[in-house]
Amino acid sequence: MTKLLNIATLGVAAVAALHVKNAAGEPLYADEERTLPVRILLHSPGSEIASVVEGRQTARSLKRMQDNDGKITAGTPEERKAETAADLAALTAGFENFTYGDGSLSGERLYVAVYSDQALGFITRQVAKFFGDWGNFSASSSNG
C-alpha cells in the first residue's frame, strides 16, 4: 500500500520573525555585542488577520473602480503610503529590540508610525517582501 503525505503537516507557522536590515542590507542589532537582533514579528499569510487585510485591500480597489466609472485607478501616493502602513501594521505581531522616536508609541500606533516614515521605507519594503513569501513562515525556515 502506498503511503500518502498528510498535507496538513506542511502548514505554515502562525508568526515568523524578520531580522531587519539597514538600508545597506546589513542585519541590525540593538547592542554592540550583536546578541539582540532587531526583528519584526509578522502574522502569516495564512492567518485570519491576513484574510481581513486582503478583504480590506479588495474593498478599497472595488471602491476606487466604482468611484471612477469602472476604471482601474491607483490611489494617490499619500493614499498608497497610508494604506500600506495600515495594512502592514495590522499584519505585525510585534517589534523586538527597537522603538521609534521618543518611545511613547506602542502597538499598532507604533507600527503605523514606522511604516509611514518615508526615511524608513527600506523597512517597509523588507516587511512587504518577507510577508509575500510563504516560505518565510514554513516550519523549516529559521525564524526563531
Side-chain angles (χ1 to χ4, degrees), residues 10-13 16 44-47 50-51 54 128-141 143:
L10 300 178
V12 296
S44 82
S47 68
S51 296
E54 186 177 338
K129 182 177 179 185
F130 184 91
F131 178 78
D133 184 350
W134 281 70
N136 289 324
F137 298 85
S138 69
S140 63
S141 64
N143 291 308

Side-chain angles (χ1 to χ4, degrees), residues 12 22 26 41 46 53 73 97 99 112 118-119 141-142:
V12 296
N22 65 18
E26 301 158 338
L41 305 176
V53 169
T73 309
N97 301 319
T99 190
V112 168
Q118 195 66 32
S141 64
S142 57

